[in-house]
């Protein structure tokens, strides 16, 4: 069922709809609806599509499936400590041998002697295999079993419990619940001690110099002894104060270890490929690769000709181009993660596409797919990949992308070094697209520099958005219906097959799992940051502070266990740093945490990781030490577009600077397109986002206007804060238009100068 990880509609499950809790009484899959019942006996019927696409529908935390996670964020692979991961993997291997007879879980990658007679699925039942596995593990000595599996004895009931948790949570379900035990807090810290801790915190933070932890302990004990005593004064109440080490832990949990941040450390242990893999079904192996697009295109901001990178996700069995993405300069791990997300999502129809490009596969009606997806679906396969193979590029081997693939539940199978045949399919597709499409387009650059034309930059006519739309149309209309030739399947090597016919044939062979991920997949695919404590200013992520009303609780602690015990998980969007995302542990809803430097008025132009690093570098080089992020706003706005004169902005920037600004705007648009949107009120399919600024203005001009207005508003607020009373406005002085746009003129804070109104300045 669609969104099974986010919404459970099985009988007995709880659903919260518009803040009212309902219980699923029964299902009617043939009608696509469920029957809900409330605590007071009221009943109603609702369709799957209505519940899945409703913005205020979520699973209840009171049901048996979610009760254990109430008040806690879900455990992930990174929570298991490194020394416990081999035990978890051994448990998983034994469960796989019980299920299918192979410890790797793949019949095409058997170990020597597999399958053993007692675990052969063709000769034994599941109950017999579990009994054989229990007998095998019981033959081990308790010391050996505890060293290999973490427990001294394993019986049939233990194997059944591990299997239930594995089916529900994946490989993390094989971990012992004691490894991920919830934090119990500090019951020894009473209300009196808590008051003393905050009093000492206020004293040492605002009035005194830095003191040691031993001095803080003495101050806490003095505060408790001198403040909490009987009114008679002859006998004090006996209040137990925790030990020094307990107070030190509490202090670090509530206020941090003095400004130091724990670094994100985790090594990506990628398994190597062993032997030959015979691909027999769609989604079994998906090949990823990135290459430079051999056609010069014009970026959407300044219109300069530039090269872009093309990232492809190819299904090795059907040779379907399941997803692709064009990025300026170079792709990042977030771009590749969104490509994997696109593989799992059905492609929506576009306005220019006709009926011949709609969902064509028999066995699964287009109406059913559209009902689950919420929009009309194009004729392109979608599925959850089982194995992802790629080269050894840094973008494919970093920690973030490994986490994304682990969250998807797929195996990582990198190609062998100096073995191009491991991913020859995607390399051949790049060559086919070059000869079939790119050679026929204006601005083609050739195979290498020797074959390049006289002026491919001048021949470029298509913009980045037009090229993306052109490739998407060609993939759905041409490539998916093109004869494969030598890439025909092994069961019919002489037949005529296309990616679409192979995908349709797989329906009759193995069926189709209609599993559409929920909208929260976007947030889970973003980079994670583990934060120990929620500060008064919010949370600090990659040099910037973010705040929200739900985090303004000084002693708000996380209940996560494992390696990142009592840490909060914050997800960062590298392409748009104005906000980060936080999942509420109680409701499991996602919230935006805004940057504390964002102005209260107007809209700040989008900026990414590269701009933040440049901003912090400039601030450090200037010797500035701002007290808050609001001090960074003028510098950032000047970098984003406040250049004099605005009308001639492109002529004053170098090509590399224009490329940086164009990439930043393009990445912000891509992030906005990937971000989950509210479901449309009508049943019309989603349309492509319009490229360009409002009223047909160039995007660089709109960006410069936003930055200039934001800088003027920031200066105006500084003057209003400095002046106790409002004075009558004076006419705009001569030269105010040039003064307002000049970077080298700093706004005066005295009472003798008022910033001219931008509207009056333009009229003048």
């Amino acid at each position: 069922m669609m969104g099974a990880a986010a919404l459970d509609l099985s009988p007995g499950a709880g659903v919260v709809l518009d803040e009212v809790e309902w219980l699923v009484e029964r299902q009617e899959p043939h009608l696509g609806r469920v029957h809900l019942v409330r605590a007071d006996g009221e009943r109603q019927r609702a369709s799957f599509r209505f519940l899945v696409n409703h913005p205020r529908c979520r699973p209840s935390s009171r049901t048996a499936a979610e009760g254990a996670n109430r008040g806690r964020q879900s455990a992930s692979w990174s929570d298991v400590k490194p020394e416990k991961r081999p035990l978890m993997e051994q448990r998983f291997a034994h469960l796989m041998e019980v299920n299918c007879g192979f410890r790797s879980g793949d019949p095409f990658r058997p170990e020597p002697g597999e399958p053993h007679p007692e675990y052969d699925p063709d000769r034994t039942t599941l109950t017999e295999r579990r009994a054989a596995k229990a007998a095998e593990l019981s033959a081990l000595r308790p010391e050996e079993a505890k060293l290999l599996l973490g427990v001294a004895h394993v019986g049939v009931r233990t194997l059944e419990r591990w299997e239930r948790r594995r089916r529900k949570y994946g490989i993390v379900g094989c971990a012992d619940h004691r490894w991920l035990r919830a934090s119990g807090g500090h019951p020894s810290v009473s209300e009196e001690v808590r008051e003393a801790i905050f009093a000492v915190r206020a004293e040492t933070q605002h009035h005194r110099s830095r003191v040691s932890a031993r001095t803080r302990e003495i101050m806490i004990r003095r505060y408790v002894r001198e403040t909490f005593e009987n009114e008679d004064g002859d006998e004090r109440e006996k209040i137990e104060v925790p030990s020094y080490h307990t107070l030190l832990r509490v202090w670090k949990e509530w206020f941090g270890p003095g400004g130091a941040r724990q670094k994100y450390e985790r090594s990506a242990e990628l398994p190597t490929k062993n032997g030959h893999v015979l691909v027999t079904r769609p989604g079994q192996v998906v090949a990823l690769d990135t290459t430079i697009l051999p056609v010069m295109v014009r970026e959407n901001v300044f219109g300069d000709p530039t090269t872009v990178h093309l990232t492809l996700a190819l299904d090795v069995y059907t040779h379907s181009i399941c997803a692709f993405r064009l990025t300026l300069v170079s792709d990042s791990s977030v771009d590749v993660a969104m490509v994997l997300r696109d593989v799992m999502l059905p492609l929506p129809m576009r306005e220019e596409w006709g009926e011949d490009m709609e969902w064509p596969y028999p066995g699964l009606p287009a109406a059913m797919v559209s009902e689950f997806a919420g929009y009309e679906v194009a004729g392109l396969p979608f599925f959850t990949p089982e194995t992802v193979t790629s080269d050894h590029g840094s973008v494919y081997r970093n920690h973030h992308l490994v986490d994304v693939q682990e969250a998807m539940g797929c195996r990582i199978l990198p190609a062998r070094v100096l073995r191009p045949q491991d991913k020859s399919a995607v390399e051949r597709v790049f060559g086919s697209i070059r000869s079939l499409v790119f050679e026929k387009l204006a601005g083609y650059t050739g195979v290498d520099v020797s074959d390049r034309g006289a002026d491919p930059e001048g021949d470029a006519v298509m913009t980045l958005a037009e090229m993306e739309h052109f490739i998407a149309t060609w993939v759905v209309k041409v490539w998916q219906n093109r004869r494969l030739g030598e890439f025909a399947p092994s069961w019919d090597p002489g037949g005529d097959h296309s990616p679409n016919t192979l995908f349709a044939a797989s329906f009759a062979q193995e069926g189709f799992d209609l599993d559409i991920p929920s909208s929260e997949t976007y947030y889970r695919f973003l980079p994670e940051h583990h934060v120990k404590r929620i500060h008064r200013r919010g949370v600090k992520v990659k040099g910037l502070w973010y705040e929200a009303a739900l985090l303004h609780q000084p002693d708000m602690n996380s209940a996560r266990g494992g390696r990142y015990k009592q840490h909060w998980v914050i997800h960062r969007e590298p392409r748009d740093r104005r906000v980060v995302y936080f999942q509420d542990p109680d409701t499991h809803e996602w919230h935006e945490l805004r940057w504390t430097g964002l102005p209260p008025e107007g809209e700040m132009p989008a900026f990414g990781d590269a701009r933040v690093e440049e901003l912090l570098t400039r601030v450090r080089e200037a010797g500035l030490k701002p007290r808050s992020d609001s001090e960074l706003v003028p510098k950032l706005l000047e970098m984003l577009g406040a250049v004099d004169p605005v009308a001639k902005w492109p002529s004053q920037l170098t090509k590399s600077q224009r490329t940086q600004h164009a990439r930043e705007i393009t990445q912000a648009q891509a992030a906005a397109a990937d971000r989950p949107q509210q479901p449309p009120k009508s049943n019309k399919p989603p349309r492509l986002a319009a490229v360009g600024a409002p009223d047909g203005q160039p995007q660089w001009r709109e960006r410069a206007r936003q930055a200039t207005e934001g800088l003027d508003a920031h200066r105006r607020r500084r003057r209003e804060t400095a002046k106790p009373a409002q004075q009558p406005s004076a006419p705009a002085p001569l030269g105010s238009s040039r003064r307002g746009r000049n970077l080298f003129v700093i706004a005066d804070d005295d009472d003798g100068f008022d910033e001219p109104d931008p509207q009056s300045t333009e009229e003048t």
Side-chain angles (χ1 to χ4, degrees):
M1 181 177 295
M2 180 182 70
L7 189 61
D8 184 11
L9 297 180
S10 59
V15 177
V16 178
L17 183 63
D18 291 330
E19 304 304 328
V20 178
E21 186 171 355
W22 299 80
L23 195 66
V24 178
E25 187 176 17
R26 69 178 186 275
Q27 285 186 348
E28 295 180 349
H30 58 289
L31 300 178
R33 65 187 182 187
V34 294
H35 290 256
L36 305 177
V37 59
R38 207 163 60 180
D40 56 0
E42 181 181 353
R43 288 177 168 80
Q44 74 170 5
R45 292 178 298 181
S47 64
F48 293 152
R49 178 182 178 182
F50 172 78
L51 295 177
V52 173
N53 294 283
H54 198 284
R56 302 185 62 187
C57 181
R58 56 180 173 84
S60 174
S61 61
R62 298 181 182 274
T63 58
E66 297 292 339
N69 290 331
R70 190 185 310 153
R72 298 176 59 186
Q73 291 179 315
S74 302
S76 62
W77 173 272
S78 59
D79 290 322
V80 183
K81 297 181 180 180
E83 60 270 17
K84 298 296 184 181
R85 291 180 184 176
L87 304 180
M88 182 177 60
E89 293 173 353
Q90 283 291 330
R91 295 181 179 183
F92 182 79
H94 286 296
L95 291 179
M96 289 295 99
E97 189 174 14
V98 170
N99 289 338
C100 62
F102 302 89
R103 291 202 171 191
S104 63
D106 190 352
F108 299 101
R109 298 174 58 191
E111 296 182 2
E114 288 186 343
H116 297 285
E118 62 271 18
Y119 300 119
D120 190 350
D122 297 333
R123 302 179 180 180
T124 59
T125 63
L126 180 60
T127 303
E128 293 174 349
R129 293 195 296 272
R130 283 178 179 167
K133 178 59 67 175
E136 175 188 348
L137 298 178
S138 299
L140 299 175
R141 293 185 302 174
E143 296 80 5
E144 296 178 353
K146 195 165 186 178
L147 182 62
L148 295 176
L149 301 174
V151 291
H153 175 72
V154 178
V156 176
R157 297 290 298 274
T158 304
L159 294 175
E160 293 176 352
R161 184 175 68 253
W162 288 354
E163 178 64 20
R164 286 195 301 267
R165 291 180 57 84
R166 185 197 66 82
R167 290 181 178 273
K168 184 176 181 180
Y169 301 108
I171 190 174
V172 183
C174 300
D176 198 312
H177 68 278
R178 291 170 295 184
W179 303 346
L180 306 174
R181 182 179 300 167
S183 174
H186 300 281
S188 61
V189 179
S190 60
E191 289 296 328
E192 294 81 3
V193 176
R194 181 178 181 274
E195 180 181 341
I197 292 175
F198 278 96
V200 173
R201 167 68 174 176
E203 179 71 16
T204 57
Q205 183 182 12
H206 300 289
H207 301 287
R208 294 197 180 190
S209 301
R210 183 182 180 90
V211 296
S212 64
R214 287 291 183 182
T215 304
R216 292 198 299 264
E217 179 201 8
I218 296 175
M219 296 176 65
I220 293 173
R221 295 183 180 277
R222 286 182 53 194
Y223 186 92
V224 172
R225 184 176 65 253
E226 298 176 4
T227 303
F228 302 103
E229 60 180 8
N230 291 336
E231 297 180 357
D232 299 337
D234 53 353
E235 183 180 356
R236 287 191 293 268
E237 296 180 358
K238 184 63 175 178
I239 299 177
E240 294 291 339
V241 179
S243 64
Y244 163 77
H245 297 285
T246 302
L247 292 176
L248 182 61
R249 287 196 301 270
V250 171
W251 189 279
K252 289 183 178 181
E253 291 173 5
W254 290 3
F255 311 115
R261 295 176 62 244
Q262 294 184 357
K263 296 182 180 179
Y264 183 77
E265 297 178 355
R266 190 158 66 99
S267 60
E269 300 176 356
L270 302 179
T272 58
K273 179 179 177 181
N274 296 322
H276 177 69
V277 177
L278 180 61
V279 183
T280 59
R281 58 186 179 275
Q284 183 180 358
V285 177
V286 173
L288 284 179
D289 201 3
T290 303
T291 187
I292 297 178
L293 189 74
V295 180
M296 300 292 295
V297 299
R298 297 189 178 273
E299 40 90 2
N300 301 326
V301 182
F302 298 100
D304 294 338
T306 182
T307 58
V308 297
H309 283 65
L310 172 63
T311 303
L312 281 185
L314 179 76
D315 177 47
V316 177
Y317 177 72
T318 63
H319 285 262
S320 299
I321 302 178
C322 306
F324 74 94
R325 184 154 297 209
L326 297 176
T327 55
L328 285 174
V329 183
S330 179
D331 58 348
S332 61
S333 61
V334 175
D335 297 321
V336 179
M338 293 305 150
V339 171
L340 293 176
R341 174 174 171 264
D342 293 342
V343 174
M344 304 166 60
L345 292 175
L347 180 67
M349 289 286 293
R350 307 194 181 189
E351 293 182 353
E352 297 82 0
W353 293 355
E355 296 181 356
D356 58 330
M357 301 177 66
E358 292 184 358
W359 181 267
Y361 305 107
L364 191 62
M368 179 179 297
V369 182
S370 300
E371 181 180 359
F372 275 84
Y375 50 81
E376 295 183 5
V377 178
L380 191 68
F382 64 93
F383 41 74
T384 301
E386 302 176 17
T387 303
V388 175
T389 181
S390 63
D391 54 21
H392 294 265
S394 60
V395 68
Y396 298 109
R397 290 181 59 89
N398 58 26
H399 299 275
H400 171 222
L401 200 59
V402 173
D403 289 341
V404 169
Q405 294 172 346
E406 290 291 347
M408 293 173 58
C410 62
R411 293 191 298 269
I412 306 169
L413 193 66
R416 293 172 294 180
V417 179
L418 301 179
R419 295 295 187 273
Q421 60 269 24
D422 287 350
K423 57 183 188 68
S424 59
V426 67
E427 298 288 356
R428 185 65 184 90
V429 168
F430 280 133
S432 300
I433 298 177
R434 177 190 296 272
S435 60
L436 294 174
V437 182
F438 295 151
E439 289 183 356
K440 302 174 177 58
L441 299 178
Y444 176 65
T445 58
V447 178
D448 51 25
V449 180
S450 302
D451 294 336
R452 182 166 298 184
D455 187 16
E457 291 84 0
D459 297 338
V461 294
M462 299 183 67
T463 64
L464 181 62
E466 293 172 347
M467 178 61 72
E468 189 276 336
H469 181 71
F470 176 79
I471 296 178
T473 305
W474 181 84
V475 167
V476 178
K477 194 170 186 178
V478 178
W479 177 263
Q480 291 298 119
N481 298 282
R482 181 175 177 270
R483 185 177 183 272
L484 291 176
E486 65 272 17
F487 294 104
S490 59
W491 47 268
D492 189 12
D496 292 337
H497 296 278
S498 67
N500 277 346
T501 58
L502 280 181
F503 192 74
S506 67
F507 284 1
Q509 295 175 357
E510 298 184 1
F512 180 73
D513 184 14
L514 184 58
D515 187 8
I516 302 177
S518 61
S519 58
E520 71 174 12
T521 308
Y522 163 78
Y523 304 106
R524 298 191 181 277
F525 281 10
L526 296 178
E528 291 184 357
H529 292 267
H530 298 87
V531 181
K532 179 66 175 178
R533 186 182 64 85
I534 305 302
H535 299 260
R536 178 180 55 85
R537 297 170 58 185
V539 294
K540 189 176 182 182
V541 178
K542 297 286 286 186
L544 298 183
W545 288 88
Y546 299 86
E547 64 175 4
L550 60 94
L551 299 180
H552 288 168
Q553 301 180 22
D555 55 348
M556 183 178 181
N557 297 325
S558 173
R560 294 173 64 90
R563 181 183 181 186
Y564 294 102
K565 184 178 181 180
Q566 297 181 341
H567 281 62
W568 296 106
V569 178
I570 306 296
H571 292 262
R572 169 180 60 92
E573 171 60 88
R575 299 169 294 180
D576 190 354
R577 290 294 305 276
R578 293 176 294 182
V579 294
V580 295
Y581 301 98
F582 170 80
Q583 186 183 25
D584 190 283
D586 295 322
T587 63
H588 290 178
E589 294 182 357
W590 291 88
H591 302 272
E592 291 185 353
L593 308 184
R594 291 170 55 86
W595 178 40
T596 57
L598 287 180
E601 312 176 344
E603 183 67 20
M604 169 77 71
F607 55 94
D609 273 352
R611 190 66 62 184
V612 172
E613 294 178 2
E614 182 183 354
L615 169 66
L616 298 179
T617 301
R618 289 191 180 185
V619 170
R620 286 193 298 267
E621 291 177 352
L624 301 179
K625 296 181 179 179
R627 291 188 298 270
S628 65
D629 284 16
S630 60
E631 298 290 336
L632 301 176
V633 175
K635 283 274 185 183
L636 180 59
L637 290 174
E638 292 172 2
M639 294 164 53
L640 291 178
V643 179
D644 184 22
V646 175
K648 298 181 179 180
W649 188 34
S651 62
Q652 296 193 1
L653 296 180
T654 63
K655 181 175 177 59
S656 61
Q657 291 175 333
R658 292 199 301 270
T659 302
Q660 292 177 3
H661 283 279
R663 183 188 186 190
E664 200 162 45
I665 296 177
T666 305
Q667 285 183 333
Q669 292 177 346
D674 294 333
R675 192 174 300 117
Q677 306 292 337
Q678 293 294 335
K681 296 182 180 179
S682 62
N683 294 328
K684 296 182 179 180
R687 299 183 178 181
L688 290 177
V691 178
D695 302 330
Q697 301 180 15
Q699 296 188 18
W700 60 265
R701 185 168 296 178
E702 175 67 16
R703 182 183 181 88
R705 184 189 62 79
Q706 293 179 358
T708 304
E709 292 180 356
L711 186 58
D712 292 342
H714 180 76
R715 290 172 174 172
R716 188 180 301 111
R717 286 193 300 272
R718 288 178 55 190
R719 289 195 303 274
E720 292 175 355
T721 304
K723 293 188 294 185
Q726 295 288 341
Q727 297 183 3
S729 60
L734 296 177
S736 60
S737 177
R738 183 174 182 83
R739 179 183 180 88
R741 297 175 178 175
N742 196 347
L743 292 178
F744 301 98
V745 178
I746 301 178
D748 299 329
D749 292 334
D750 56 352
D751 299 339
F753 174 75
D754 285 333
E755 181 85 356
D757 190 354
Q759 298 180 358
S760 63
T761 302
E762 294 178 359
E763 295 176 359
T764 305

